[in-house]
C-alpha cells in the first residue's frame, strides 16, 4: 500500500445560488467573474508553489484581460501547508473588501459569511482514489453553506449590476471604455453585425453605438455608478427590436428575439482522473490540456457571436444567438448546435491522443450540454435554472438510479425552446452510438442525423407545417413497425413516407423527407435497443405493458417533432407562426 501523502485544497462558492439571483446578462457575468477573480487572486498568492499545484493549470495566470471567467472553483496542491492557504484567503478577502467598498457599501462580515472559501489539509495515499477523495471532502465542506440575507445582500447584488469601470471590468476587459459584457440584445442579434447587407450592418452598428455603447461610456466617464439610488435603466429592448425590424425589413427573423443559455459539463472525468493514479505530472498535464481547450472554446463562442460567462476546466456557461442564418462567412456556425459541434471537436483535439499517423484516437471523455432557448423577456434567472435542469437532470440523468438511466453513457444534448406564447418543446439527442461503440460511417448516430436535417435546403415556406401535419396521420405506426415488431423493417417506414407524402411540395423536398424518414427510423431504433438492453428504463409504474409502448411513443415523437419545430423556428420569417 502506498504511504500517505499530504495534500491541501480549497473550494470557492456559492456558485449556483449567486448566478441564479441575477436578472441581467452583465450581472450574471459579474457574479461569475467575481468568483473566478477570487480564485485568480488565490492562485497569485500561491504562485511561489506553482510546481505543487495539480488543479487548475498555473498557466491561467498568464492570461491578461481574458474577457471571461477561466478559473474553476477548486484548487488542489501537493504538500501540507494549511496556514499558507488560510493566509492567502485572508489577503484576498481584505483586498476584495477594500475594492468593493470604493463602489458600494458592504459590510466585511457579510461578505465573509456569504463567500464560502473552505480550506482543508489531509493525508491520503497517492493512488487512483486521491483526487476523488479530496473532492469528496470538499463536497462535504460545501454542505455547510449558509445564505445570509438583509440590506448587505442588496448591496452585493447592486455591485454585480454595475456596468462601469471597476476592478473586475478592468481585469476582464482592460482599459477599453467601450468594451464590456454584451447586452442580451447584442448577443441575440449578433449575426446582423456580419450580415451580407452593408446598409443593414451600418444601421445596426449605429443603433448599438447610440443606445448601448454611448450609454456605457457616459456611465463610466461621469462615474454614475457611484449614485447607488439612481441607477440608469437598461436599454429598452422593445425599442431596439422595433428599430431592428425596420432595419432588417423582410430579413428579420423571430429567433433573433430569443437567447440561448448553454451549460456544459464533462462526462466521465472522475473515472479518467482515477486512472491517472494520483501521478502529479499526469494531473498537471491533464489540467494544461483542459486549459488549452478552454482558450479554444472561448474563441469559438465569441466567433459565433456568443458571450462566455465562465469556462473553467470541464464546466462551461455561455450565452449565444440561436442561429446565424444571415452570415457572410460560411466558416461561422449556422446554429448553436453547429457551435457545439465545433466545441466537441476542439475538446477531442485538446484532450485526445494521436496514433503514429497523427489521427485522433477514440476518447472516453466527452461533454454534455443543457440548452435553454427563451424569449428575451423571459426572466434570466429562470432561463439559467432551465439550462442547469436540462443538463443535470435530463442529459446526465443525475439522481436517477443506475438501472433506470435513459442516457447512461451521457454525451448528449438536452434542449428546450420556451416560446413567447408560453408553449415549449424539448428533446434529448444522443451524440454517440449506444454502448459507446466506435462510430460507423455507414450508420450515423442520432446526432449526425439531427445535424443532417439542420443542413438540408427546404423549398416553400409552408412545407414543414405540411410535412408534420401529414406525418400525424401515420405516426402511430412508428412504434408498431420499429419497436413492438419482432422483426422491424425500416423499409416499411420509408414506404410510409413515400406513399403518404407524394404531392408537389413534397416532391420538391424529397431529399429532406428522406432525411426525416431516416431520423424517425434512428430515433425509434435507438429506443427499441435501449428497451431491449434494459427494460427497467421504460418500466411502466401502472404495471400495464401497453403503457410501455405509450411511453416509448411519447419519447420518440417528442424528439422528432421538437427537431422539426426547431428547424421551422430558425427558418421561418417574421410573423410566420409555427403550427407544429
Amino acid at each position: 500500500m502506498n504511504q500517505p501523502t499530504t495534500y491541501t485544497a480549497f473550494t470557492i462558492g456559492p456558485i449556483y445560488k449567486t448566478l441564479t439571483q441575477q436578472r441581467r446578462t452583465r450581472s450574471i457575468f459579474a457574479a461569475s467573474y467575481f468568483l473566478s477573480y477570487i480564485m485568480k487572486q488565490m492562485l497569485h498568492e500561491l504562485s511561489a508553489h506553482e510546481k505543487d499545484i495539480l488543479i487548475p493549470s498555473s498557466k491561467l495566470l498568464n492570461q491578461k484581460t481574458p474577457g471571461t471567467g477561466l478559473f474553476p472553483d477548486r484548487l488542489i496542491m501537493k504538500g501540507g501547508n494549511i496556514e499558507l492557504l488560510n493566509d492567502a484567503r485572508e489577503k484576498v478577502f481584505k483586498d476584495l473588501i477594500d475594492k468593493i467598498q470604493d463602489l458600494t457599501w458592504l459590510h466585511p462580515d457579510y461578505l465573509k459569511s456569504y463567500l464560502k472559501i473552505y480550506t482543508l489539509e489531509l493525508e491520503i495515499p497517492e493512488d487512483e482514489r486521491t483526487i476523488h477523495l479530496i473532492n469528496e471532502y470538499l463536497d462535504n465542506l460545501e454542505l455547510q453553506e449558509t445564505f445570509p440575507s438583509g440590506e448587505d445582500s442588496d448591496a452585493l447584488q447592486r455591485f454585480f449590476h454595475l456596468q462601469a469601470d471597476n476592478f473586475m471590468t478592468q481585469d476582464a476587459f482592460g482599459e477599453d471604455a467601450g468594451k464590456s459584457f454584451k447586452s442580451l440584445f447584442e448577443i441575440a442579434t449578433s449575426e446582423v453585425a456580419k450580415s451580407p447587407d452593408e446598409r443593414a450592418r451600418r444601421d445596426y452598428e449605429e443603433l448599438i453605438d447610440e443606445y448601448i455603447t454611448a450609454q456605457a461610456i457616459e456611465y463610466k466617464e461621469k462615474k454614475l455608478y457611484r449614485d447607488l439610488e439612481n441607477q440608469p435603466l437598461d436599454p429598452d429592448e422593445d425599442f431596439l427590436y422595433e428599430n431592428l425590424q425596420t432595419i432588417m425589413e423582410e430579413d428579420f427573423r423571430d429567433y433573433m428575439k430569443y437567447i440561448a443559455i448553454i451549460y456544459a459539463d464533462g462526462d466521465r472525468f472522475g473515472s479518467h482522473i482515477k486512472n491517472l493514479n494520483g501521478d502529479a505530472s499526469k494531473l498537471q498535464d491533464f489540467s494544461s490540456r483542459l486549459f488549452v481547450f478552454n482558450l479554444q472554446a472561448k474563441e469559438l463562442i465569441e466567433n459565433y457571436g456568443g458571450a462566455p460567462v465562465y469556462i473553467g476546466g470541464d464546466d462551461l456557461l455561455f450565452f449565444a444567438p440561436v442561429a446565424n442564418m444571415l452570415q457572410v462567412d460560411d466558416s461561422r456556425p449556422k446554429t448553436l448546435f453547429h457551435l457545439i459541434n465545433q466545441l466537441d471537436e476542439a475538446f477531442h483535439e485538446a484532450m485526445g491522443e494521436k496514433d503514429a499517423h497523427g489521427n485522433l484516437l477514440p476518447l472516453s471523455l466527452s461533454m454534455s450540454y443543457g440548452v435553454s432557448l427563451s424569449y428575451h423577456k423571459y426572466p434570466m434567472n429562470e432561463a439559467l435554472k432551465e439550462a442547469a435542469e436540462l443538463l443535470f437532470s435530463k442529459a446526465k440523468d443525475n439522481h436517477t438510479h443506475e438501472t433506470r438511466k435513459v442516457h447512461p453513457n451521457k454525451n448528449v444534448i438536452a434542449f428546450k425552446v420556451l416560446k413567447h406564447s408560453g408553449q415549449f418543446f424539448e428533446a434529448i439527442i444522443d451524440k454517440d452510438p449506444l454502448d459507446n461503440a466506435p462510430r460507423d460511417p455507414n450508420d450515423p448516430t442520432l446526432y449526425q442525423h439531427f445535424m443532417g436535417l439542420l443542413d438540408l435546403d427546404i423549398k416553400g415556406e409552408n412545407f414543414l407545417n405540411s410535412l408534420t401535419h401529414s406525418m400525424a396521420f401515420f405516426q402511430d405506426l412508428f412504434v408498431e413497425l420499429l419497436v413492438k415488431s419482432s422483426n422491424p423493417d425500416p423499409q416499411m417506414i420509408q414506404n410510409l413516407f413515400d406513399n403518404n407524402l407524394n404531392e408537389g411540395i413534397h416532391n420538391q423536398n424529397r431529399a429532406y423527407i428522406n432525411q426525416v424518414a431516416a431520423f424517425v427510423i434512428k430515433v425509434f431504433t435507438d429506443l427499441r435497443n435501449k428497451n431491449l438492453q434494459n427494460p427497467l428504463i421504460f418500466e411502466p409504474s401502472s404495471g400495464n405493458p401497453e403503457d410501455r409502448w405509450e411511453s416509448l411513443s411519447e419519447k420518440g415523437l417528442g424528439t422528432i417533432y421538437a427537431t422539426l419545430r426547431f428547424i421551422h423556428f430558425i427558418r421561418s420569417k417574421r410573423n410566420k407562426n409555427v403550427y407544429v
Side-chain angles (χ1 to χ4, degrees):
M1 180 176 177
N2 293 343
Q3 291 297 315
T5 301
T6 304
Y7 294 88
T8 46
F10 65 85
T11 179
I12 296 173
I15 295 177
Y16 185 72
K17 172 183 180 288
T18 302
L19 293 183
T20 53
Q21 285 184 327
Q22 314 310 317
R23 288 173 171 78
R24 292 289 184 271
T25 55
R26 67 165 177 268
S27 57
I28 290 170
F29 169 78
S32 170
Y33 197 85
F34 182 63
L35 298 172
S36 177
Y37 178 84
I38 293 172
M39 174 61 83
K40 178 180 180 179
Q41 299 310 108
M42 291 285 286
L43 204 54
H44 269 299
E45 293 293 333
L46 300 171
S47 58
H49 303 268
E50 178 180 331
K51 62 179 176 47
D52 298 321
I53 297 175
L54 306 178
I55 297 171
S57 173
S58 58
K59 293 179 181 179
L60 284 165
L61 290 175
N62 298 325
Q63 298 305 301
K64 306 299 182 185
T65 62
T68 189
L70 291 173
F71 292 79
D73 62 324
R74 291 184 174 182
L75 181 144
I76 300 173
M77 60 190 299
K78 199 170 182 179
N81 197 338
I82 194 69
E83 292 81 10
L84 178 70
L85 265 62
N86 289 334
D87 288 346
R89 177 178 61 185
E90 292 308 309
K91 288 179 182 178
V92 171
F93 265 137
K94 184 179 184 305
D95 179 64
L96 277 176
I97 289 165
D98 290 343
K99 288 177 175 176
I100 289 177
Q101 287 190 321
D102 283 343
L103 300 169
T104 183
W105 187 90
L106 185 65
H107 199 284
D109 290 344
Y110 175 84
L111 189 61
K112 283 191 174 185
S113 62
Y114 181 88
L115 290 173
K116 311 300 173 187
I117 304 183
Y118 296 121
T119 61
L120 66 83
E121 178 178 305
L122 69 165
E123 286 190 356
I124 53 176
E126 184 178 310
D127 57 25
E128 70 277 2
R129 284 184 53 79
T130 300
I131 302 300
H132 176 74
L133 285 173
I134 294 172
N135 279 321
E136 278 193 346
Y137 277 104
L138 292 174
D139 289 341
N140 288 332
L141 286 174
E142 288 179 351
L143 294 177
Q144 302 175 28
E145 289 186 1
T146 57
F147 304 119
S149 59
E151 292 182 3
D152 289 290
S153 177
D154 294 335
L156 183 59
Q157 299 312 314
R158 190 182 294 123
F159 167 69
F160 290 145
H161 190 71
L162 297 179
Q163 63 178 357
D165 180 23
N166 61 55
F167 69 94
M168 285 204 308
T169 54
Q170 289 177 3
D171 191 78
F173 301 111
E175 297 297 327
D176 184 355
K179 183 88 171 181
S180 63
F181 196 77
K182 292 180 179 179
S183 67
L184 184 149
F185 175 81
E186 289 175 279
I187 299 168
T189 63
S190 61
E191 68 173 309
V192 184
K194 296 189 177 183
S195 166
D197 186 333
E198 183 178 351
R199 178 199 58 80
R201 291 200 310 272
R202 183 185 65 249
D203 291 348
Y204 174 77
E205 290 167 2
E206 289 177 357
L207 184 66
I208 297 295
D209 288 343
E210 183 173 356
Y211 293 101
I212 297 179
T213 307
Q215 183 196 70
I217 294 174
E218 179 185 17
Y219 192 64
K220 172 185 174 179
E221 290 179 344
K222 293 185 178 180
K223 300 187 183 298
L224 297 176
Y225 53 87
R226 296 185 183 276
D227 182 4
L228 301 181
E229 300 303 320
N230 296 295
Q231 294 288 300
L233 297 174
D234 290 317
D236 185 337
E237 289 173 355
D238 285 336
F239 171 81
L240 292 171
Y241 274 112
E242 287 171 7
N243 277 268
L244 182 62
Q245 290 186 49
T246 301
I247 291 169
M248 300 301 295
E249 297 176 341
E250 290 303 312
D251 285 332
F252 183 82
R253 299 291 187 272
D254 278 344
Y255 68 73
M256 293 178 183
K257 289 188 174 183
Y258 288 74
I259 190 75
I261 299 178
I262 299 97
Y263 266 114
D265 186 65
D267 303 319
R268 297 178 292 277
F269 269 60
S271 299
H272 183 82
I273 291 174
K274 182 178 178 181
N275 292 333
L276 300 180
N277 293 312
D279 186 292
S281 62
K282 290 181 180 179
L283 286 166
Q284 288 169 332
D285 176 67
F286 176 73
S287 297
S288 295
R289 286 169 177 260
L290 272 178
F291 172 65
V292 170
F293 165 66
N294 290 167
L295 292 183
Q296 183 67 14
K298 175 181 180 293
E299 182 179 339
L300 290 170
I301 292 166
E302 290 178 341
N303 180 60
Y304 173 66
V309 176
Y310 69 74
I311 304 177
D314 65 322
D315 294 324
L316 281 70
L317 171 61
F318 58 96
F319 297 96
V322 174
N324 273 327
M325 304 301 284
L326 303 177
Q327 61 197 20
V328 177
D329 183 358
D330 285 341
S331 68
R332 297 181 74 223
K334 293 179 181 178
T335 71
L336 62 93
F337 295 108
H338 292 84
L339 170 62
I340 288 173
N341 232 7
Q342 288 188 339
L343 291 171
D344 280 347
E345 289 172 0
F347 179 79
H348 197 171
E349 180 74 29
M351 305 304 296
E353 302 291 345
K354 295 182 179 180
D355 61 20
H357 304 289
N359 300 313
L360 281 168
L361 296 170
L363 180 66
S364 63
L365 300 173
S366 60
M367 298 288 291
S368 287
Y369 300 82
V371 182
S372 166
L373 299 98
S374 56
Y375 192 67
H376 69 94
K377 290 186 177 182
Y378 190 77
M380 187 65 66
N381 55 337
E382 292 300 319
L384 275 169
K385 292 175 184 176
E386 284 282 0
E389 176 77 8
L390 286 163
L391 174 62
F392 294 110
S393 295
K394 298 193 176 181
K396 286 180 168 286
D397 284 341
N398 281 7
H399 310 300
T400 302
H401 194 277
E402 290 296 326
T403 59
R404 291 185 176 272
K405 285 186 180 290
V406 182
H407 308 280
N409 300 319
K410 304 176 184 177
N411 195 24
V412 302
I413 300 171
F415 75 90
K416 183 175 185 177
V417 179
L418 297 144
K419 296 299 297 294
H420 179 38
S421 63
Q423 296 180 330
F424 70 89
F425 54 91
E426 60 184 338
I428 305 175
I429 307 293
D430 289 283
K431 291 190 285 172
D432 266 351
L434 298 186
D435 288 338
N436 268 348
R439 290 196 177 188
D440 180 352
N442 298 316
D443 183 19
T445 66
L446 182 64
Y447 181 57
Q448 288 171 319
H449 279 284
F450 174 80
M451 295 303 295
L453 282 171
L454 292 185
D455 288 335
L456 280 178
D457 289 332
I458 299 175
K459 296 180 176 65
E461 289 187 359
N462 297 318
F463 165 70
L464 282 175
N465 278 331
S466 170
L467 172 63
T468 50
H469 281 302
S470 298
M471 285 172 59
F473 290 104
F474 55 87
Q475 66 183 27
D476 292 342
L477 291 172
F478 297 159
V479 171
E480 295 289 337
L481 297 173
L482 293 174
V483 181
K484 295 172 70 172
S485 172
S486 59
N487 185 28
D489 185 359
Q491 185 58 47
M492 295 183 71
I493 297 297
Q494 184 65 57
N495 293 342
L496 274 176
F497 278 83
D498 290 343
N499 295 333
N500 289 276
L501 304 172
N502 51 18
E503 298 177 1
I505 188 65
H506 300 136
N507 293 329
Q508 292 178 35
N509 292 284
R510 186 55 53 190
Y512 192 86
I513 290 174
N514 290 341
Q515 185 71 29
V516 171
F519 185 63
V520 168
I521 292 167
K522 185 62 178 176
V523 166
F524 282 101
T525 299
D526 279 4
L527 284 173
R528 172 188 170 86
N529 290 336
K530 285 183 178 183
N531 182 58
L532 291 173
Q533 291 169 10
N534 184 7
L536 287 176
I537 294 175
F538 304 106
E539 185 71 29
S541 58
S542 65
N544 183 352
E546 286 303 311
D547 290 345
R548 177 191 303 274
W549 309 127
E550 183 177 344
S551 174
L552 284 166
S553 178
E554 287 178 358
K555 286 184 181 296
L557 293 176
T559 297
I560 292 162
Y561 287 127
T563 299
L564 296 180
R565 290 187 71 176
F566 177 77
I567 294 168
H568 192 291
F569 176 55
I570 62 172
R571 290 179 183 249
S572 60
K573 291 189 176 181
R574 177 178 173 181
N575 298 324
K576 295 291 183 181
N577 293 322
V578 181
Y579 297 105
V580 182

